Amino acid sequence: MASTAEGSQEGITQKGVRRRDWIHIAALSTAGVGGASILFPLVSQMAPTKDVLAASTTDVDISSLEPGQSVKTSFRDQPLFVKRMSEGEMEEVAAVDVSSLRDPQTLEERLGANNAEGILVQLGVCTHLGCVPLGAGEGESKGEYDGYFCPCHGSHYDAAGRIRKGPAPKNLAVPEFAFTSESTIRVG
Amino acid sequence: MSFAWANQYEPKTAFTKWIDEKLPLPRLVYNAVGSGYPVPRNLNYMWNFGVLAGFCLVLQIVTGVVLAMHYTANADGAFASTEHIMRNVNYGWLMRYAHANGASFFFIVVYLHIFRGFFYSSYKAPREMIWLLGVVIFLLMMATAFMGYVLPWGQMSFWGAKVITGLFGAIPFIGEPLQTWLVGGFAPNASTLNRFFSLHFLLPFVIAGVVILHIWALHIPGSSNPTGVEVKSESDTVPFHPYYTAKDGFGLGIFLIAYALFVFFLPNFLGHPDNYIEANPLSTPAHIVPEWYFLPFYAILRSFTGDLTIPFLGTILIEAKLLGVIAMFGSILVWFFLPWLDKSPVRSGHYRPMFRIFFWILVVDMLVLLVCGGLPAEQPYVLISQIATAYYFLHFLVILPIVSQIEIPKPLPYSITEAVLGKDDTEAAPQPAA
Amino acid sequence: MTIRLAGILIGLAFTAVLLLWSLVPGVLNFSLPEEAEYEAFYEPNVAPEGGFSFEGPLGKWDNQQLQRGYQVYKEVCAACHGLKYVAFRNLGELGYNEAEVRALAAEWQIGDIDAKDGSDIERAGLPTDMFPEPYANVVEARAFNNNAVPPDLSLMAKARPDGTHYIYSLMIGYTEPDPEDQAESPEFETPSGLYFNEHFHNINIAMPPPLTDGVVSYSDGTEATTEQMAQDIAAFLTWTAEPQLVKRKQMGWFIIIFLIFATGLAYLSKKQVWADKKKK
């Protein structure tokens, strides 16, 4: 090999060497850009597909909900709890000193604006590690604060879905929703 | 292995030294496709197709793994999941078209690679093992491609699966139970689809394994070259890197331009419209054809139209169906015997005037078979494909052995260097320990 | 040597079997396939004057045309043909805004179950719904259509050779048999229940002529001639079969120009590397 290596050095001017290097650098960087841009479709194909992104609203009929009663449905592949809070629950929740909470939110903040009927809409996903808390169904454990209880790691939420005890860091998430008529809400 | 003058890998930094001691992978690459592999300096562009075939395998595995993330191997959902990939998955259409056309381009590249081997007799000693492994790769590719074509579960997928598995039914005694076992039922069904998906995912990695053996076997005698004269001295070779990495880079660019033209502008040109109709076990398409790369072999299969009978008695010895199946498999198996059928001492077709003529007849013959395989099984195409099939077998089994015996080759150059530069000033170097 | 001798013998024997038992009987009984009677009436696909806007490497969708085509599908084809791989949300790609898509979806009735008692109900379509199937199942489709199942149209433009022109040609192919051909095959007659169509591969098609002048009235003022509607529905069904067609070709240009540039550099680089190894 020694002789071929020397052979390639001989007889090439300083200018020649520079031009040669420039071509190789340009060719290699172009190949690099091409190779790197292949990664873009390969990565983005794993992002949510168009049909998943499109299935983004859920309509819930709330006409038959009695005070204190909940309905479980699903929103974006996750459980959704819709509850008509009873007067007692609202009073109890409103009486708590907000500053004492881990994730301070008032009842109004939980329910959203223009929500005189006390319709509480939240994702049934524990903010700790994602289990479905109990408390929305008839006869399920409601935990120590008369709201929701997550059996996986023992998080207790109150009737407004605010975290009160246990490892969960946040209140149950409230998705965007709107009243489309007296009897239905559209979530998402 | 390799030549005495091959560059030696020398790790420079402390880290590469440490790696070289624990796991000498950089050394392996350096000696396989780096500066450590001396390659004849006179390789022409026909020698690009080995690297391109390797590229195609990687391309197919990458796009295939991506498609498998979205595909459902279920007879009720396979066709719909293919449409889901085309319509909903981000760049799913690109992945699918890249994979489907990638299969075609893989075969184009491999056919050119094989015919390069035919013309330059790359199968001759000391390279028989490389050739045998190559034929194994080709057979595995055919199985993989066939099963992949079944997966979208369109009309051609289904009827292709039915016809091809039906070939096994031709085997005497065990044929029918074997066929039922292969498809897991009496006709292709959900079980067939599922097992084909599993095997279609597995076989590419088997191919990759055999490819490694193929390259390993190649590095023992080193690459052949267009003169067919073995490497004599250092001036006959150049290091693989940068000489052939640069040349392969350019070849890859040309390949990608042609490939991109198909993927982006003619993505369905090589496919069949019937495969956009969901599989229907109760309705056969008017004209079943396999993918284009199987057509020559399909023509050979169909050219046996008459049972082998004892003349005047009419007793059937071998049914036409079985003859066709034997011929189709035989047409590829015959390649395994090439190193021993062609005994000419000269390798390169450039120096074999008689062989060269027959080589080009074979090329035309294969193209005729390809065209006939895609046409309906009616006259005069049946007649033409019968003549072409006859030539195909005569070429390998009769013409090659005889030509290699009687041909007078043209004078060979003294060395590769002489062939390139017109003179070879190197002293008659001692034969390197190959 | 043994291998070569065996090879020659096997090769000769094999060829003899092929030639004597397959080729010779074929030659003795040689006959070209007869042309079926109806084939004389068949006319190859035709293209509309001026072609389609999306054809060619630089083609683009004509959204106005696609919207008209959607109207033809909805008011004419949808009675018998499904579009099951297309969702209403996809109509957004035809230039409708979100509210319009929602309104268009709501014009369709979608089978669903009652949220309270699980009974079958029909409700207004949502953008996320797929186009509904016209028949409950294949048996019903067959029973309603004289045993011919109307195929789903989502992929029709790709499921036939030269599909876009096929759809266009089929729509305008309901003519009378050419008198010259008819004179040559006086026996030829379209069976009852079928319709003569010179662009259909079997000539006699089970689908009655779907388009007559003015069968829809276009809101954009275009005159709804059969020819116009044929173009519009062919364009719309090309879009349903390959919605990414235009995007794909635009991306292709970008990539091919990049590849030519990169390959040019690779060539120069290769030339430089090899400069001292070539014959001087």
Side-chain angles (χ1 to χ4, degrees):
Chain A
M1 171 58 202
S3 73
T4 44
E6 279 158 23
S8 64
Q9 301 296 330
E10 279 167 12
I12 291 173
T13 63
Q14 193 63 34
K15 200 180 156 199
V17 170
R18 282 227 302 278
R19 176 157 170 250
R20 203 176 91 154
D21 289 350
W22 178 83
I23 283 288
H24 297 327
I25 291 166
L28 279 177
S29 357
T30 313
V33 169
S37 47
I38 291 172
L39 287 177
F40 182 73
L42 289 180
V43 169
S44 82
Q45 57 88 15
M46 278 172 70
T49 56
K50 290 196 187 84
D51 55 327
V52 170
L53 290 176
S56 55
T57 61
T58 300
D59 287 339
V60 187
D61 181 7
I62 51 166
S63 58
S64 56
L65 273 181
E66 298 292 328
Q69 206 181 25
S70 291
V71 59
K72 282 194 220 179
T73 172
S74 81
F75 171 64
R76 290 183 183 163
D77 301 332
Q78 292 181 308
L80 182 76
F81 295 166
V82 180
K83 177 164 79 167
R84 189 188 295 273
M85 292 181 78
S86 65
E87 301 227 334
E89 281 177 328
M90 289 205 265
E91 278 168 25
E92 194 185 315
V93 167
V96 177
D97 178 11
V98 172
S99 59
S100 72
L101 297 175
R102 185 177 301 166
D103 181 10
Q105 272 187 311
T106 61
L107 177 63
E108 287 68 37
E109 283 171 323
R110 295 296 295 163
L111 291 176
N114 306 321
N115 196 344
E117 297 190 61
I119 299 295
L120 177 65
V121 181
Q122 45 192 0
L123 289 181
V125 179
C126 181
T127 55
H128 177 220
L129 291 170
C131 294
V132 181
L134 300 172
E138 289 289 327
E140 287 179 0
S141 164
K142 287 177 177 286
E144 290 177 25
Y145 296 87
D146 205 24
Y148 305 91
F149 168 66
C150 180
C152 291
H153 307 96
S155 291
H156 298 258
Y157 299 87
D158 66 17
R162 300 182 298 192
I163 180 65
R164 302 294 287 273
K165 187 183 171 188
K170 294 262 180 204
N171 301 336
L172 292 179
V174 177
E176 271 188 42
F177 70 96
F179 289 86
T180 44
S181 72
E182 294 234 323
S183 62
T184 53
I185 56 168
R186 172 168 290 152
V187 185
Chain B
M1 54 136 256
S2 188
F3 303 106
W5 58 84
N7 291 331
Q8 291 303 309
Y9 177 69
E10 279 161 30
K12 293 202 174 60
T13 64
F15 177 70
T16 49
K17 275 179 192 147
W18 184 83
I19 290 281
D20 194 50
E21 276 172 27
K22 318 295 172 201
L23 181 74
L25 193 62
R27 177 183 293 273
L28 184 79
V29 172
Y30 183 89
N31 289 334
V33 289
S35 310
Y37 178 42
V39 187
R41 62 189 290 176
N42 60 336
L43 302 189
N44 60 34
Y45 278 104
M46 288 308 292
W47 264 261
N48 278 51
F49 292 101
V51 164
L52 286 179
F55 174 82
C56 287
L57 179 63
V58 172
L59 175 81
Q60 288 305 85
I61 290 179
V62 169
T63 51
V65 166
V66 164
L67 290 172
M69 292 182 190
H70 304 282
Y71 171 76
T72 319
N74 172 311
D76 293 328
F79 191 84
S81 75
T82 309
E83 278 311 304
H84 167 70
I85 289 169
M86 293 296 286
R87 290 161 195 271
N88 293 325
V89 175
N90 299 304
Y91 296 99
W93 59 269
L94 178 59
M95 297 297 152
R96 174 155 180 266
Y97 281 155
H99 195 70
N101 287 288
S104 282
F105 273 77
F106 198 172
F107 272 95
I108 293 175
V109 163
V110 164
Y111 276 129
L112 289 167
H113 193 57
I114 291 172
F115 274 82
R116 194 285 315 271
F118 284 155
F119 185 79
Y120 294 103
S121 308
S122 303
Y123 43 79
K124 278 186 190 155
R127 297 187 181 80
E128 307 97 310
M129 185 51 81
I130 313 170
W131 176 259
L132 299 182
L133 290 167
V135 180
V136 170
I137 292 171
F138 183 66
L139 289 170
L140 287 169
M141 272 177 68
M142 292 181 93
T144 311
F146 158 64
M147 288 190 277
Y149 195 56
V150 175
L151 301 184
W153 210 238
Q155 274 288 66
M156 278 297 166
S157 301
F158 181 89
W159 292 97
K162 186 149 186 172
V163 169
I164 300 298
T165 53
L167 299 181
F168 293 91
I171 302 170
F173 309 116
I174 58 160
E176 272 188 46
L178 178 68
Q179 186 189 347
T180 312
W181 175 79
L182 274 176
V183 298
F186 306 104
N189 56 21
S191 315
T192 321
L193 183 59
N194 242 323
R195 68 188 58 180
F196 278 13
F197 179 52
S198 173
L199 292 173
H200 182 71
F201 207 116
L202 167 73
L203 284 184
F205 297 96
V206 178
I207 293 177
V210 185
V211 165
I212 289 171
L213 299 182
H214 188 66
I215 297 171
W216 184 8
L218 169 70
H219 281 69
I220 292 171
S223 303
S224 69
N225 70 83
T227 63
V229 177
E230 287 293 331
V231 168
K232 286 197 172 70
S233 67
E234 188 175 355
S235 74
D236 287 346
T237 66
V238 291
F240 191 90
H241 178 75
Y243 290 96
Y244 285 107
T245 39
K247 193 170 179 177
D248 284 331
F250 171 57
L252 180 64
I254 298 288
F255 167 85
L256 285 176
I257 291 171
Y259 175 59
L261 276 174
F262 273 83
V263 170
F264 291 100
F265 293 98
L266 299 162
N268 294 307
F269 182 78
L270 295 168
H272 198 289
D274 276 357
N275 230 25
Y276 281 106
I277 303 170
E278 191 169 3
N280 180 355
L282 303 179
S283 150
T284 311
H287 180 43
I288 302 181
V289 280
E291 288 280 81
W292 70 267
Y293 37 81
F294 291 140
L295 289 177
F297 305 103
Y298 192 57
I300 290 175
L301 170 80
R302 292 196 310 187
S303 64
F304 284 81
T305 50
D307 299 330
L308 177 61
T309 52
I310 301 173
F312 311 114
L313 287 176
T315 319
I316 296 176
L317 293 177
I318 308 175
E319 286 189 343
K321 185 181 175 187
L322 179 59
L323 281 173
V325 173
I326 293 172
M328 191 183 74
F329 286 107
S331 64
I332 296 168
L333 295 182
V334 69
W335 296 355
F336 279 116
F337 297 94
L338 261 185
W340 298 278
L341 288 169
D342 176 7
K343 283 309 241 192
S344 170
V346 175
R347 291 200 186 85
S348 169
H350 289 307
Y351 305 99
R352 300 182 61 187
M354 205 187 272
F355 166 85
R356 197 163 59 190
I357 296 168
F358 288 109
F359 168 82
W360 287 110
I361 296 177
L362 179 73
V363 171
V364 173
D365 187 62
M366 282 288 271
L367 292 174
V368 168
L369 285 171
L370 193 149
V371 172
C372 285
L375 291 167
E378 50 192 39
Q379 297 292 13
Y381 314 123
V382 176
L383 190 67
I384 295 169
S385 55
Q386 282 166 342
I387 294 167
T389 304
Y391 179 77
Y392 182 92
F393 285 100
L394 288 177
H395 177 91
F396 288 107
L397 290 169
V398 180
I399 295 172
L400 274 190
I402 293 175
V403 162
S404 62
Q405 204 73 31
I406 63 172
E407 182 179 50
I408 301 159
K410 289 200 243 173
L412 292 170
Y414 164 72
S415 70
I416 295 170
T417 311
E418 189 191 279
V420 177
L421 301 178
K423 59 184 165 53
D424 187 350
D425 299 335
T426 47
E427 301 150 37
Q431 277 291 325
Chain C
M1 195 63 211
T2 352
I3 292 183
R4 274 179 290 163
L5 259 183
I8 292 173
L9 290 177
I10 293 171
L12 288 174
F14 209 68
T15 315
V17 170
L18 173 66
L19 296 180
L20 295 177
W21 275 269
S22 290
L23 185 129
V24 169
V27 172
L28 293 179
N29 303 315
F30 189 86
S31 64
L32 292 174
E34 277 179 40
E35 200 178 55
E37 194 182 32
Y38 61 77
E39 283 181 34
F41 295 91
Y42 178 77
E43 297 292 331
N45 292 342
V46 290
E49 211 173 302
F52 288 97
S53 64
F54 48 82
E55 288 176 320
L58 290 167
K60 284 206 167 61
W61 297 120
D62 172 356
N63 277 352
Q64 283 299 313
Q65 181 177 47
L66 295 183
Q67 294 188 3
R68 290 196 301 270
Y70 165 68
Q71 192 183 347
V72 175
Y73 170 75
K74 179 172 184 287
E75 295 178 14
V76 182
C77 319
C80 307
H81 294 279
L83 208 56
K84 65 178 170 183
Y85 298 113
V86 184
F88 297 124
R89 63 186 159 80
N90 298 134
L91 294 174
E93 295 167 32
L94 305 190
Y96 294 111
N97 64 33
E98 212 184 315
E100 285 169 329
V101 170
R102 205 172 264 282
L104 288 173
E107 291 172 4
W108 296 77
Q109 289 296 304
I110 304 295
D112 204 343
I113 54 164
D114 190 282
K116 289 191 198 76
D117 58 18
S119 59
D120 290 335
I121 55 160
E122 295 240 302
R123 59 163 173 80
L126 293 169
T128 48
D129 288 319
M130 308 302 273
F131 275 83
E133 298 264 22
Y135 301 104
N137 50 55
V138 182
V139 180
E140 189 188 275
R142 190 172 288 131
F144 272 96
N145 290 286
N146 202 9
N147 265 330
V149 181
D152 189 88
L153 294 184
S154 318
L155 287 162
M156 190 50 75
K158 286 200 285 188
R160 298 286 181 276
D162 191 21
T164 305
H165 292 139
Y166 168 80
I167 294 166
Y168 168 75
S169 305
L170 196 72
M171 290 298 106
I172 59 167
Y174 290 92
T175 54
E176 289 299 316
D178 182 14
E180 271 180 44
D181 294 330
Q182 185 73 68
E184 273 179 40
S185 321
E187 301 285 293
F188 176 81
E189 175 172 32
T190 299
S192 81
L194 298 181
Y195 303 86
F196 181 86
N197 189 317
E198 63 178 12
H199 293 301
F200 187 61
H201 52 90
N202 283 342
I203 293 300
N204 299 316
I205 189 169
M207 172 169 69
L211 301 178
T212 48
D213 288 350
V215 68
V216 303
S217 53
Y218 284 135
S219 56
D220 66 357
T222 309
E223 198 190 339
T225 59
T226 302
E227 152 78 24
Q228 180 66 44
M229 287 183 289
Q231 283 190 38
D232 294 346
I233 191 65
F236 176 70
L237 292 180
T238 307
W239 170 77
T240 62
E242 187 87 350
Q244 73 284 6
L245 177 74
V246 168
K247 190 179 152 198
R248 187 188 81 212
K249 290 195 276 201
Q250 284 168 348
M251 199 186 209
W253 274 107
F254 181 75
I255 284 173
I256 284 178
I257 289 168
F258 173 82
L259 282 175
I260 290 173
F261 173 71
T263 307
L265 284 177
Y267 177 69
L268 293 176
S269 171
K270 181 241 156 195
K271 238 175 95 177
Q272 287 286 347
V273 169
W274 279 87
D276 62 321
K277 286 292 169 194
K278 290 289 169 190
K279 189 176 175 180
K280 292 188 181 93

